[in-house]
Amino acid sequence: MSVETRVPEEEALQIDTSKMSEGKRQALEVTEAARETAWTHPSFAQELFDGSFRDDLMFPYPLQDPVDARKGDEFIRTLETILREKVDPDEIDRTGEIPQEAIDALAEAGAFGIKIPKEYGGLGLSQTNYSRAAMFLGSHCANTAALLSAHQSIGVPQPLKLFGTEEQKKRFFPRLARGEISAFALTEVDVGSDQAKMTTRGEPSPDGKHFLLSGEKLWCTNGTKAGLFVVMAQTPPKVVRGKERSQITAFIVEKEMPGVEVVSRCHFMGLRALYNGVIRFKNVKVPRENILFDEGKGLRVALTTLNTGRLTLPAACTGASKICLRIVREFARDRIQWGAPIGRHEAIAQKVAYIASHTFAQEAVSLYTAALVDRGGADIRLEAAMCKMFCSETTWRIINETLQVRSGRGYETAASLRARGEAGVPVERFLRDARINLIFEGTSEIMRLFIAREALDKHMKTAGDLLSPRAPLGQKLASALKAGVHYAAWYPAQWNPVPRMFTVHRRLAPHLSYVSRAAHRLARKLFHSMIFYQVALEKKQALLGRFVEIGTDLFTIAATCARADALHSQDSTAHTGVIELADIFSKEARRRVEENFRATANNHDPECYRLGQQVTQDEYAWLEKGAVEFPFK
Ligand SMILES: Cc1cc2nc3c(=O)[nH]c(=O)nc-3n(C[C@H](O)[C@H](O)[C@H](O)COP(=O)(O)OP(=O)(O)OC[C@H]3O[C@@H](n4cnc5c(N)ncnc54)[C@H](O)[C@@H]3O)c2cc1C
């Protein structure tokens, strides 16, 4: 991923903020300034929102290169052995502790430095091999997956790789690769999804050589065990276009620095062995050399880190779905009720089909995006966010359906099943552990907003000034001219697309034609909404959410068909039924797309919004009568 190609931050802001509250304006301006805005290769997903099905960006599907696969195989084999022999996921869940022996074995195998370059002591493996490892981890123990992922997807190694100086890399990479655990500290009590208003501060010393860091971070994963932290803090503001703009800076902080304190360990419904805590920083003297990237660039460090970092979670989710697939396959085959294996009853067969086809789709999007990272220079922001949203939500559904298939045995704990002499299938634990995936590394709601923002980017660049009440007349006229020229050609093309042929398996070709047509329809509808609502479109989250879901389903159909076609051509015997899987997934996804298209025109969003406001203004408090009035203390 290139970080050399960014435009200056003053150019990045295209959204009209004139009618926003001060808090919202500040939040948006800081986030906008931190966006990466220029790339060498276009994004397949972004092109879809613009009405263009760029099959050249998806076909042939980038199957892992055999040389790269061989580089990862040995590590994956070792990882699998460690997981089988030293990582007992139920025991870890019960005790809330990952045994030191397991952590040591993982460190010895290089699992804390999978992507750290070899010259700094890491394994130097590709993103694809890292994703394969995450799949294995996610299929076995979510706690261990979270430990390794928080360390190297969002902890120090990833931002250090992207933004670190040579001196910083030499100083920290070898320690991290050897297994010194790291953490990422951004969230605070009042700073959740809106990260721009943090209260942790870094005050420069008079001689400018140090910063004194003070504040408290919440829910810091690995925080209670980490030796190194990436800490986000406000540093003195800067004046941009006559206005003060908050500055967020990313610091590498050592646990051993005086003033760093683990206040408490947090506990959750799942991930019971997460080493997550409240971390306090009290006048911690951090040398300027520990700033990542530059003063004031912390949010960009965080957002860019998350673009790639977000790919671990979809891979781990895919691993969890694969285990669910095995569980339902065996149970639906062996459990006899009403005179037949339950898998023969249609209600259950439908669930099994959903799980199989969607697991394949998860793998297709995760590995496609990992391959883009390995290729370099590609804009993966949309694809990574779509992977995160699609895979976390799909795995949640898959685990829920797996629980329903196993029914009473799904709800029972593994220990209780074992005590009765049955196999300890831990679906109950899977459900507890998987729920967080829809929350951390960007909630599902924030992912939809993020994707919508990027989806509208081309339109904002073309016509942003025209629609903005803030823009001066001259700028509006220039924008009108630019928009007129662009849309005169673009808009008719969305109505009269050139019919296209796709040279893939005959059962998949119609799905690709559908994606191509639906992309034009999506672009048209997005454009009409932009004209209709103008700057108010930003507030229409339900509508934007549907567009995002349509775009995501179109992306997943394309990736799924591309992967199926590639695997079928490579070795159809080893991948029996792969075309069937992709065909069924695509039909299911197309059904969702059509429903979402219908709902863009036919919905009751305003009434729901109004009701939501009235409820939160206590107008429906009477409805709560009949429940015990119990104060939450
Ligand atoms: C187990 C766990 C591990 C974590 N690990 C880390 C970590 O290692 N480092 C770290 O820094 N943080 C970590 N977090 C924090 C996590 O990333 C946040 O919980 C997440 O960002 C959401 O913040 P919040 O819970 O405060 O929700 P809030 O921001 O308060 O949001 C509440 C709800 O409102 C929605 N919402 C908020 N704003 C909008 C909006 N503009 N439009 C629409 N909907 C909106 C949200 O989607 C959510 O549903 C962790 C949290 C947990 C629970």
Side-chain angles (χ1 to χ4, degrees), residues 513-566:
S513 302
Y514 176 83
V515 172
S516 175
R517 289 193 309 276
H520 289 295
R521 201 166 146 206
L522 174 63
R524 277 193 324 253
K525 288 204 171 252
L526 203 54
F527 180 69
H528 295 162
S529 303
M530 207 180 74
I531 299 294
F532 187 75
Y533 292 111
Q534 304 201 1
V535 288
L537 180 59
E538 174 254 338
K539 291 201 180 102
K540 300 282 166 199
Q541 294 188 349
L543 180 67
L544 289 173
R546 291 186 194 103
F547 289 136
V548 166
E549 283 169 24
I550 292 169
T552 304
D553 267 326
L554 297 181
F555 164 56
T556 47
I557 293 173
T560 303
C561 289
R563 182 166 172 84
D565 194 57

Side-chain angles (χ1 to χ4, degrees), residues 328 331 342 348 351 397-411 427:
V328 294
F331 196 73
I342 58 163
I348 299 298
K351 294 183 198 303
R397 263 179 235 128
I398 284 180
I399 296 175
N400 196 33
E401 293 292 33
T402 304
L403 194 149
Q404 194 65 20
V405 169
R406 279 188 56 86
S407 231
R409 286 168 179 78
Y411 193 65
V427 182

Side-chain angles (χ1 to χ4, degrees), residues 184 186-187 192-193 219 221 274 276 436 440 443 445 449 541:
F184 175 74
L186 173 68
T187 303
S193 307
W219 297 328
T221 298
L274 202 65
N276 180 296
I436 187 61
F440 58 16
T443 64
E445 292 75 21
L449 296 187
Q541 294 188 349

Side-chain angles (χ1 to χ4, degrees), residues 24 150 154 183-189 191-195 217-222 268 271 274 276 436 439-446 449 541:
K24 193 165 181 190
I154 56 173
F184 175 74
L186 173 68
T187 303
E188 299 176 5
V189 170
V191 178
S193 307
D194 163 12
Q195 297 139 0
K217 295 292 184 181
L218 178 66
W219 297 328
C220 179
T221 298
N222 289 355
F268 304 96
L271 293 187
L274 202 65
N276 180 296
I436 187 61
I439 297 169
F440 58 16
E441 295 184 18
T443 64
S444 282
E445 292 75 21
I446 297 298
L449 296 187
Q541 294 188 349

Side-chain angles (χ1 to χ4, degrees), residues 514 521 546 549-550 588-602:
Y514 176 83
R521 201 166 146 206
R546 291 186 194 103
E549 283 169 24
I550 292 169
E588 185 64 20
R590 284 173 63 170
R591 193 185 52 71
R592 288 193 294 262
V593 169
E594 288 303 315
E595 267 171 26
N596 265 322
F597 269 133
R598 265 193 300 279
T600 56
N602 185 4

